[in-house]
Amino acid sequence: MPRRSKVLSGTLVASALLLTSIGIGTVAANADTPAASAPARAAHTGHTMAVSTAASPEDPDGDGYIPANPPVTGVTPSTKEPPHRYFHEFQANCGVSHTAPDDPIVYAQQPGKSHDHTFMGNTTTDAYSTTASLDAGSTTCLAPGDRSGYWMPTMYDGDRPVLPVGPQTIYYKAGVTDYTSVRPFPKGLRYVVASPMQSAQEFRDHPGFVEGWECGDSFFNVDFPTDCPERQDVQVNIRFQAPSCWDGRNLDTPDHKSHMAYPVVNPGTNNNICPADHPVALPMIEFKMAFPVNGDLSRVRLASGASYSFHYDFFNAWDEATLDAMVGHCIVGGLQCDARGYDQTHPEAGAALNEDYELP
């Protein structure tokens, strides 16, 4: 179990349900796919966070800005201190669907241009994905209403892809002290967390760094652990948090980051608040990924490069009513919820979703 976290987190265990298939048959049959050959992998060692050079249905002029419609205005960062609740979170449990050298945020409309990514959640995510296409897609998440796209660089052990098995834990938390001020993501919001181009020190110092790479009793690693027990019950894990404060104006910006910010400490207090230029408090996503590899990790690497090139992407396509119910019941309500929006320590609160993970 995780031992430490910058933001108070639950210790809910992810569902043990295993997917009968993780969609390997959907891996793009493209000469540039890193799984195809070593030379192809070398051609996609990373990507920069440059201004978009390709127009897309949501960014017709290709300038990288996708404005929110309508924007959220008139918000100031909340400095309130609601009644203390140790937890204010819920889980999205989503399995791997496919891999492909695509990135619909950084390389929209440009298939095969990215290093290889492992996709979770929406099963249709590719270089051409838009808010509308994701909204019409299906999902590997337990909640059918979560049609969001989640992706990260594919891990390899030598030339073998190492893909997480079963539903992975994606936390939605309050990143600010006033958990009652957190509101749902706007439809179509997207961003990149961290950078494939970061140095080892930048990875360690990143505000989203929780425990780095961990395996067995080895935590806070920038590099893959060298003392990883070779046991069936041991996997390599990483936990990494996303920014949770939004500018209220843009669903995306040219660097895919500037419209988002991490909370800051309110001067003179121990409270976390959103900065004035990013005043809108949204859920803080935290990836808690488990990769089925252990023992000798000397040949383990990421499609984006070294261990410290880890980063991930999020493209919101939740059904709005479902996300609103989960945020209101679990985050604003100060509960520690599973993927149904149920807190087993507070059964009297009920669940946000029914047994099929849908709105009742």
Side-chain angles (χ1 to χ4, degrees):
M1 294 295 294
R3 300 181 176 182
R4 315 162 184 86
S5 176
K6 288 184 178 178
V7 175
L8 295 177
S9 64
T11 55
L12 293 174
V13 178
S15 168
L17 175 66
L18 296 180
L19 299 179
T20 57
S21 169
I22 54 176
I24 301 305
T26 65
V27 174
N30 186 305
D32 290 333
T33 303
S37 66
R41 280 193 300 275
H44 295 287
T45 56
H47 53 54
T48 61
M49 295 296 157
V51 175
S52 173
T53 57
S56 69
E58 294 178 291
D59 181 18
D61 59 6
D63 68 352
Y65 288 95
I66 300 177
N69 185 20
V72 176
T73 59
V75 176
T76 56
S78 175
T79 57
K80 295 179 181 178
E81 295 186 40
H84 176 71
R85 299 299 292 266
Y86 195 76
F87 298 106
H88 9 70
E89 64 182 40
F90 67 89
Q91 293 184 19
N93 294 144
C94 307
V96 171
S97 60
H98 61 288
T99 68
D102 290 349
D103 190 324
I105 296 178
V106 178
Y107 291 119
Q109 310 292 305
Q110 301 172 75
K113 192 170 183 179
S114 174
H115 53 251
D116 204 61
H117 283 111
T118 294
F119 292 90
M120 296 170 290
N122 201 294
T123 62
T124 69
T125 313
D126 62 18
Y128 299 105
S129 291
T130 63
T131 304
S133 72
L134 294 177
D135 203 37
S138 58
T139 183
T140 65
C141 300
L142 294 185
D146 185 6
R147 295 184 289 272
S148 302
Y150 308 89
W151 62 95
M152 59 191 172
T154 298
M155 178 183 285
Y156 291 94
D157 184 6
D159 291 334
R160 178 180 67 88
V162 179
L163 304 180
V165 177
Q168 298 299 295
T169 302
I170 300 169
Y171 287 111
Y172 282 60
K173 305 180 176 186
V176 293
T177 299
D178 183 9
Y179 54 87
T180 68
S181 69
V182 177
R183 62 180 71 194
F185 290 115
K187 197 70 162 283
L189 180 76
R190 68 210 73 183
Y191 53 74
V192 178
V193 182
S195 169
M197 310 303 292
Q198 66 206 353
S199 67
Q201 191 62 48
E202 287 170 334
F203 175 66
R204 180 63 183 86
D205 294 341
H206 196 281
F209 186 99
V210 179
E211 292 182 353
W213 295 102
E214 54 185 40
C215 185
D217 293 326
S218 181
F219 299 88
F220 294 104
N221 295 292
V222 170
D223 296 313
F224 295 122
T226 56
D227 50 349
C228 184
E230 191 170 356
R231 299 200 316 262
Q232 187 174 1
D233 62 335
V234 171
Q235 300 187 77
V236 171
N237 299 276
I238 191 168
R239 296 178 62 189
F240 211 90
Q241 294 173 340
S244 59
C245 297
W246 179 43
D247 67 9
R249 301 186 306 274
N250 299 291
L251 301 178
D252 197 10
T253 41
D255 64 356
H256 316 296
K257 296 181 179 182
S258 296
H259 53 308
M260 301 295 298
Y262 284 87
V264 296
V265 176
N266 189 22
T269 74
N270 291 319
N271 296 339
N272 290 328
I273 64 172
C274 282
D277 54 356
H278 292 75
V280 184
L282 302 177
M284 174 175 276
I285 284 180
E286 178 182 309
F287 266 31
K288 181 184 176 186
M289 302 289 112
F291 299 88
V293 64
N294 54 40
D296 180 9
L297 303 183
S298 62
R299 300 178 72 231
V300 173
R301 58 187 172 79
L302 300 177
S304 52
S307 57
Y308 48 81
S309 71
F310 181 80
H311 59 288
Y312 62 87
D313 301 54
F314 169 66
F315 194 142
N316 176 44
W318 273 87
D319 169 71
E320 292 171 281
T322 305
L323 181 60
D324 184 66
M326 293 290 282
V327 171
H329 186 70
C330 300
I331 297 181
V332 175
L335 298 175
Q336 182 190 23
C337 294
D338 60 15
R340 276 189 62 216
Y342 177 74
D343 184 342
Q344 62 183 356
T345 65
H346 290 281
E348 74 284 357
L353 306 179
N354 63 24
E355 291 78 6
D356 296 319
Y357 299 89
E358 296 179 322
L359 288 172

